[in-house]
Amino acid sequence: MARPDKAAAVAELAEQFRSSNAAVLTEYRGLTVAQLKTLRRSLGENAQYAVVKNTLTKIAANEAGISTLDDLFNGPTAVAFVTGDPVESAKGLRDFAKDNPNLIIKGGVLDGKALSADEIKKLADLESREVLLSKLAGAFKGKQSQAASLFQALPSKFVRTAEALRVKLEEQGGAE
């Protein structure tokens, strides 16, 4: 029978997997405690970085319905549980890994879909959710302005055409 402390650890990890938008597995071999502290700060306030035991975490991930990470649980493993914007945390991991080659991004999961290390790096290259939403809003506003100009141009063009026709008819009527 499982020890109560291990069962509690598995339950806590499973809950973290369920409540997170994303989870990124890393290998932290060779990093100092100070570097890990810096890494935790660089992930942002919507992420929690935890050094985990592979066996317990694998069991917890399977309990949470995530079986795609099983191959990544080898060597010293830490998990970044992301509850907010996954792009911000992915950028934090990528930037920290550039400065500290001992941090290796193994892979992860985003909304139930498995991500490779390369896909996490591509996710880090995206702009934040707020920036993307503001760009989308700007594009919609631009299209609305174009539509308003077009709708306004039709009546004014009609008025100019009618006025030109009236002037032409007056000139023809005056010439006779």
Side-chain angles (χ1 to χ4, degrees), residues 93-109:
L93 284 168
R94 178 200 60 196
D95 294 344
F96 187 86
K98 282 181 185 175
D99 297 335
N100 301 283
N102 288 337
L103 180 74
I104 299 169
I105 299 172
K106 295 179 177 183
V109 63

Side-chain angles (χ1 to χ4, degrees), residues 10 18 53 89 113 116 121 138 158:
V10 167
R18 284 187 204 101
K53 294 187 180 251
S89 298
K113 181 187 177 293
S116 69
K121 289 174 185 169
F158 174 74

